[in-house]
Amino acid sequence: MSPNTTLEDRTCLVTGGSRGIGKATAIELGEAGAEVAVNYKSSLESAERTVEEINEAGGSAIPVKANVADPAEVAAMAAEVHDAFGTLDVLINNAGITKDTRFDRMTDADWHNVIEVNLHGTFYCTRAFYEDLVGSDHGRLINISSIVGEQGNYGQANYAATKSALIGFTRTLAREMGRYGSTANCVAPGFTMTDMLKVVDEEIQEKIKRKIILGRFAEVEDIAGVIGFLAGPDASYITGEVISVNGGMNI
Ligand code: NAP
């Protein structure tokens, strides 16, 4: 089989690329020939492992540290990425957190922490690389929303608010970026087997699973494959979309 080179000559940044969906995405992009910057906040070792896996598979990757909720750290990360790559073709805003609790128990901190990472982080990163994305006719902005942003979910008012907001943000950016030939899309994963899902009570996990037509949680590769497709040349006429990858939870 010939190697996949659909992203040769493309540079990509995956925020939250040290674990879970972001890690699988960074590997997917690296295996397709892209140069990949793997962002992390605190897990240097995991980010280095992701970078190693990409480099061992013949790709090219670097780890870049930044808390996406901190605009100064994002600006420093952007400078590092520009030094390494020159310009950025594909930005995947994937870093995200949850602080789940029923609304009547939700504290200011629960609300603000989630908004700061999931929503403000996406704003800071997009702003830091916007000129790059509209500076070529193949810029790709891919924001990771969620089934929870589409449907809401018990105990996740803060998280749902951010994931719905990303849909409006992305559709607006699609309108503004279109004249340059660049695209903006959301991927809305369903429940996916990562650290984020592992902290959910087993009983609740079983309840969720019963709502999934395919009867299983997503593997990270199920999501990463779709993100890789959106980053690649076959998706050049797709923009402003929310691609739901949830095993059939929306029907
Ligand atoms: P995960 O396994 O918990 O990994 C989260 C990643 O985000 C880690 O790499 C983490 O870095 C990074 N991160 C967290 N806060 C950060 C910050 N402030 N700055 C920079 N990086 C930060 O999560 P996941 O399940 O793969 O989720 C990835 C994305 O998919 C999220 O946006 C999530 O909302 C979305 N999603 C997940 C599911 C699901 O069921 N898992 C479903 C729908 C959507 P460190 O390792 O350094 O902490």
Side-chain angles (χ1 to χ4, degrees):
M1 203 170 81
S2 59
N4 176 4
T5 55
T6 48
L7 291 174
E8 211 164 32
D9 301 326
R10 294 289 189 264
T11 56
C12 309
L13 167 65
V14 184
T15 69
S18 51
R19 293 185 282 122
I21 292 170
K23 175 178 182 171
T25 299
I27 291 170
E28 175 85 20
L29 301 172
E31 286 179 349
E35 285 187 274
V36 187
V38 176
N39 159 257
Y40 66 100
K41 188 187 81 173
S42 41
S43 340
L44 171 63
E45 262 181 44
S46 308
E48 282 180 340
R49 262 201 304 279
T50 308
V51 164
E52 257 170 47
E53 276 187 52
I54 295 170
N55 291 337
E56 276 164 16
S60 167
I62 54 165
V64 285
K65 184 177 184 341
N67 174 1
V68 296
D70 181 327
E73 289 192 27
V74 170
M77 173 174 73
E80 206 180 321
V81 169
H82 287 138
D83 276 352
F85 294 166
T87 187
L88 191 79
D89 300 306
V90 180
L91 171 62
I92 322 278
N93 283 309
N94 164 78
I97 59 165
T98 50
K99 295 252 184 248
D100 296 350
T101 185
R102 225 173 55 193
F103 181 71
D104 56 353
R105 296 180 188 141
M106 192 168 283
T107 64
D108 285 7
D110 295 332
W111 177 260
H112 285 290
N113 289 347
V114 172
I115 304 267
E116 277 158 19
V117 176
N118 299 7
L119 187 55
H120 297 180
T122 296
F123 166 65
Y124 297 137
C125 291
T126 305
R127 182 176 62 182
F129 294 102
Y130 187 74
E131 290 303 322
D132 294 353
L133 297 180
V134 298
S136 75
D137 60 1
H138 53 255
R140 300 287 162 84
L141 173 65
I142 301 168
N143 295 324
I144 308 308
S145 177
S146 169
I147 178 78
V148 172
E150 297 175 286
Q151 297 190 348
N153 195 28
Y154 195 97
Q156 294 200 299
N158 48 0
Y159 181 78
T162 64
K163 295 298 178 179
S164 301
L166 287 182
I167 294 174
F169 176 75
T170 306
R171 289 193 167 137
T172 301
L173 269 281
R175 290 179 188 277
E176 296 186 10
M177 291 167 65
R179 65 194 166 118
Y180 304 101
S182 298
T183 67
N185 291 287
C186 272
V187 171
F191 293 87
T192 309
M193 246 321 150
T194 68
D195 295 342
M196 188 176 271
L197 184 58
K198 284 176 196 153
V199 300
V200 173
D201 223 62
E202 265 183 38
E203 203 182 311
I204 296 177
Q205 284 194 22
E206 282 314 307
K207 240 180 171 174
I208 295 169
K209 213 184 273 177
R210 285 198 288 276
K211 294 185 191 158
I212 304 172
I213 286 183
L214 292 179
R216 66 171 177 88
F217 293 128
E219 299 295 336
V220 287
E221 291 77 14
D222 293 324
I223 312 300
V226 174
I227 299 171
F229 166 74
L230 283 175
D234 290 342
S236 61
Y237 202 59
I238 300 176
T239 197
E241 290 296 336
V242 180
I243 311 291
S244 303
V245 190
N246 58 36
M249 291 190 79
N250 271 343
I251 55 172

